[in-house]
Amino acid sequence: MMLSFLLLLSLAASHGSAVTTKLPASYAIWAADSAISRGQGDGLGSNGAPLVSYEHGEFQWALRLLYEKTGNRTYFDYIQQGVDRVVTQNGTVIGGYGFTTDYQLDPIRTGPTFLYLYGVTGQEKYKIAADQYRKQLETQPRTAQGQFWHKLRYPNQGWLDGIYMGDVFYAQYTHDFQAWNTSAWDDIQAQFTLMYRNTLQNATSPPGLLYHGYDYSHTAIWASPDRGHSPEVWDRALGWYMMALVDTLDIFPRSHPGHDTLLSILRDLAPRVRDAADATSGVWWLVITQPGRTGNYFESSGTAMFVYALLKGVRRGYLHNDGFVSAAKKAYGYMTKNWVIGDTNGTMNWLNTVQVGSLDGNGTFEYYISVPTDINDLKGLAAFTLSSIEYESV
């Protein structure tokens, strides 16, 4: 469900003057600075207590790229401050993390930041913290095919989200400390491949995208008779997977056949994602399988993720520019015109990011559109920052 009409009117009325001001030199910097000014992604929850959050990990990835691009130490310091709130001096991860009871993949999204800080600072506590995540993967429950369960409480379920949450870290850790570990590289490849094969649409419209997840045991209420997949293509789940592909390809050794496997998946999916965009606006529907259906709407986090993945894929040479850049630019133009609203205090607000998407229920269209959207939801704002970094590099 989108922001209420009255709320949108209120935002437009209170910030309308800012919308018409001079465009920022960098939307990436504006987005990041705005989030920092609000204390978003700082390693704390809304109650002020330490919190391990995949949203923070996503935002930290964007801040790292901005730091490397601009040299602005503020971004590095913010990353380190946030991590130091959830990693103690002896390397223990706090803030709600406990893999032996939860076996969730979501918290592991902060792992790449631990590895980054260890590489830059050499502080052993970050390596010890990363070791805890790697230890979780050793005993993470799996399907009979070998797919990580998304969470312990979702037996035999693989979700697209989990590939971004767990496997980018898995690849980076292997690259940094176990580059010789062929079995680990094989396993990382298998995580992507199993998810792709078990969630791939067959002869449906739009063709060849990925359903949100699947239940290998076929016991979930939403599981299809053939492969146990969920009934709809949710834009952000597919966005997580696309971002995971382009980020992991940077890490995966080209000498391993898995690199070509991931590259092939990306090249299969990218044209289908491009073609699934709304023809007029250039952006993507919340439920991609139901374009134009009453209640459906253009969603901002998935759109930003697709823009990031397509632009990065072309820039890194993983994709030939078969209309991907023009499609991404069209979508980006819509994002900045419709989902970015300047505030009178100089910051920007970000609209139309759906709060959550889960397979805990029935996975229907009605469920996805019933979830509210948020202003400045970090899942979307971080993705917009990432897409802006790529857009400004074209």
Side-chain angles (χ1 to χ4, degrees):
M1 182 181 294
M2 287 187 288
L3 289 169
S4 72
F5 179 66
L6 290 177
L7 180 55
L8 285 171
L9 284 179
S10 175
L11 279 169
S14 59
H15 307 308
S17 60
V19 176
T20 59
T21 59
K22 183 179 178 181
L23 294 177
S26 167
Y27 276 101
I29 292 174
W30 194 22
D33 290 353
S34 297
I36 289 173
S37 73
R38 292 187 287 265
Q40 293 183 270
D42 63 353
L44 300 176
S46 58
N47 61 357
L51 177 68
V52 175
S53 166
Y54 67 86
E55 300 179 31
H56 296 190
E58 181 195 8
F59 185 52
Q60 289 159 356
W61 186 276
L63 293 182
R64 165 189 169 181
L65 297 180
L66 269 182
Y67 172 58
E68 292 171 350
K69 181 178 180 179
T70 67
N72 185 341
R73 182 79 185 188
T74 299
Y75 301 128
F76 179 85
D77 292 343
Y78 196 79
I79 293 170
Q80 188 171 29
Q81 179 188 60
V83 170
D84 285 349
R85 286 171 170 152
V86 297
V87 175
T88 67
Q89 285 301 312
N90 67 6
T92 301
V93 182
I94 58 174
Y97 176 69
F99 79 83
T100 56
T101 54
D102 299 330
Y103 277 105
Q104 297 190 38
L105 292 177
D106 287 346
I108 296 178
R109 181 56 229 181
T110 57
T113 312
F114 299 171
L115 296 173
Y116 171 66
L117 289 175
Y118 177 69
V120 173
T121 70
Q123 293 187 41
E124 193 66 19
K125 69 176 185 177
Y126 301 125
K127 169 63 163 55
I128 295 171
D131 288 343
Q132 293 175 59
Y133 286 172
R134 183 62 181 85
K135 184 178 180 182
Q136 174 181 331
L137 295 181
E138 291 177 6
T139 54
Q140 184 78 13
R142 297 171 180 255
T143 68
Q145 291 180 313
Q147 184 89 67
F148 290 140
W149 295 6
H150 188 65
K151 296 181 183 180
L152 183 64
R153 68 189 186 95
Y154 301 133
N156 287 294
Q157 292 184 24
W159 298 10
L160 295 179
D161 320 38
I163 298 295
Y164 184 76
M165 305 309 165
D167 290 292
V168 179
F169 165 77
Y170 194 0
Q172 190 67 61
Y173 187 98
T174 304
H175 173 277
D176 291 354
F177 306 114
Q178 300 177 355
W180 46 266
N181 192 342
T182 303
S183 295
W185 292 121
D186 291 346
D187 193 25
I188 295 163
Q189 171 193 337
Q191 297 305 313
F192 279 89
T193 303
L194 287 170
M195 190 66 68
Y196 180 73
R197 291 175 179 171
N198 284 295
T199 62
L200 180 65
Q201 286 182 291
N202 291 326
T204 56
S205 180
L209 297 177
L210 305 183
Y211 294 107
H212 187 171
Y214 73 100
D215 175 7
Y216 184 70
S217 66
H218 291 204
T219 58
I221 189 174
W222 43 258
S224 66
D226 57 346
R227 289 162 291 142
H229 64 72
S230 59
E232 302 290 355
V233 176
W234 178 47
D235 71 325
R236 187 157 73 223
L238 184 55
W240 291 130
Y241 188 85
M242 292 291 289
M243 291 204 301
L245 279 170
V246 295
D247 289 345
T248 304
L249 279 166
D250 283 349
I251 305 165
F252 213 104
R254 291 177 180 267
S255 59
H256 189 287
H259 189 278
D260 286 344
T261 299
L262 268 59
L263 190 61
S264 176
I265 293 174
L266 176 64
R267 289 176 175 174
D268 283 346
L269 283 175
R272 302 168 190 169
V273 168
R274 177 200 62 204
D275 295 344
D278 175 69
T280 302
S281 66
V283 299
W284 286 265
W285 296 90
L286 172 79
V287 183
I288 300 179
T289 21
Q290 304 279 352
R293 182 174 171 181
T294 301
N296 207 357
Y297 59 91
F298 300 146
E299 200 276 328
S300 63
S301 66
T303 292
M305 291 172 182
F306 294 144
V307 169
Y308 170 75
L310 293 177
L311 289 179
K312 181 175 180 179
V314 172
R315 179 177 63 82
R316 295 288 294 142
Y318 304 138
L319 298 172
H320 304 298
N321 186 12
D322 187 15
F324 298 124
V325 172
S326 60
K329 285 184 173 181
K330 181 177 180 179
Y332 189 83
Y334 184 96
M335 288 196 293
T336 56
K337 290 178 183 177
N338 293 275
W339 295 330
V340 173
I341 294 184
D343 204 320
T344 53
N345 65 7
T347 64
M348 60 157 276
N349 293 297
W350 174 254
L351 307 181
N352 264 53
T353 293
V354 68
Q355 289 178 357
V356 71
S358 174
L359 292 174
D360 189 40
N362 58 16
T364 62
F365 172 82
E366 289 76 15
Y367 158 71
Y368 286 108
I369 66 168
S370 73
V371 180
T373 60
D374 266 346
I375 303 172
N376 297 323
D377 189 298
L378 194 58
K379 295 180 288 294
L381 187 56
F384 176 66
T385 308
L386 287 165
S387 69
S388 297
I389 292 169
E390 287 297 332
Y391 182 86
E392 292 162 10
S393 299
V394 174

